[in-house]
Amino acid sequence: MAERPAARKTARLALAVGGVVFAGLLAWGLMAHSAGAERWFLAVPFEPLPPWAVALAALCVAMPLGTLAALIIGQRGHWGAALRPRLLRVIPAILLALITPVAMVTIFPIPMVLLLPALVEDMDPLTRALQAGAILLALGFWYLAAGLIASGVRSWGLRVAIFGQLWIGIYAGFLLFQGFNLFVI
């Protein structure tokens, strides 16, 4: 079994990487959301975030990225053990891929599981391929995260907290990138 990296070293590295990412996201977010009136992204109207929400969303995106970077660096040389298929890595990866937010309506995330029925509907092949690709991408991301967390973190409670941190980071990324979607009928 691969040796786990030292917890304090991993935590310091996660905070350092997360701090650098936070500074960059905060600068970009304040600039992108200070444009005033509503903007358009992919023909979806949205409201810019207030500065406090930009800072909170940037923090919620940066810290999970820092944690993942620290776990990746800490597992250097032990990739085979970290990514070896195990039941306790595959099941959380599937469950988390299904609840990964892929869109938003106002401030509520829309989980990936709602895309599954759309795959069997009669739609154009490009849309079906993009949705299937999004599901496979989410599954791959969560399997990588599950492997790194399971092999790099001893405490079960901390593992659950890191998975939650990653999910919140994805949701906050949508908020930071899109702002609040306006539900227009």
Side-chain angles (χ1 to χ4, degrees):
M1 182 169 185
E3 187 175 317
R4 290 188 170 113
R8 287 179 191 248
K9 181 180 176 186
T10 303
R12 281 193 306 266
L13 185 59
L15 288 173
V17 171
V20 170
V21 172
F22 171 71
L25 284 174
L26 182 63
W28 174 83
L30 289 173
M31 189 173 55
H33 289 276
S34 68
E38 77 179 43
R39 299 177 312 159
W40 293 82
F41 173 73
L42 297 177
V44 177
F46 72 94
E47 288 289 328
L49 296 175
W52 66 267
V54 170
L56 185 61
L59 183 66
C60 289
V61 172
M63 287 302 117
L65 290 176
T67 301
L68 272 183
L71 288 171
I72 288 170
I73 292 168
Q75 292 298 320
R76 220 179 6 212
H78 302 288
W79 281 94
L83 299 178
R84 188 172 297 125
R86 298 273 191 259
L87 193 60
L88 289 177
R89 294 177 186 168
V90 172
I91 291 174
I94 291 171
L95 293 175
L96 288 166
L98 290 176
I99 64 168
T100 297
V102 292
M104 288 178 39
V105 174
T106 58
I107 61 169
F108 302 106
I110 305 298
M112 177 90 59
V113 72
L114 296 180
L115 286 182
L116 294 178
L119 286 175
V120 296
E121 289 181 5
D122 193 25
M123 66 176 71
D124 70 56
L126 178 62
T127 305
R128 182 176 288 149
L130 287 174
Q131 288 180 344
I135 291 170
L136 291 175
L137 184 68
L139 196 56
F141 168 78
W142 285 112
Y143 182 76
L144 174 68
L148 289 171
I149 292 168
S151 64
V153 179
R154 288 183 180 97
S155 165
W156 279 87
L158 190 54
R159 289 179 185 183
V160 171
I162 292 172
F163 276 121
Q165 178 189 37
L166 289 171
W167 190 91
I168 290 170
I170 292 171
Y171 173 55
F174 271 107
L175 280 176
L176 191 60
F177 188 63
Q178 287 186 267
F180 294 113
N181 283 356
L182 299 175
F183 189 65
V184 179
I185 298 178

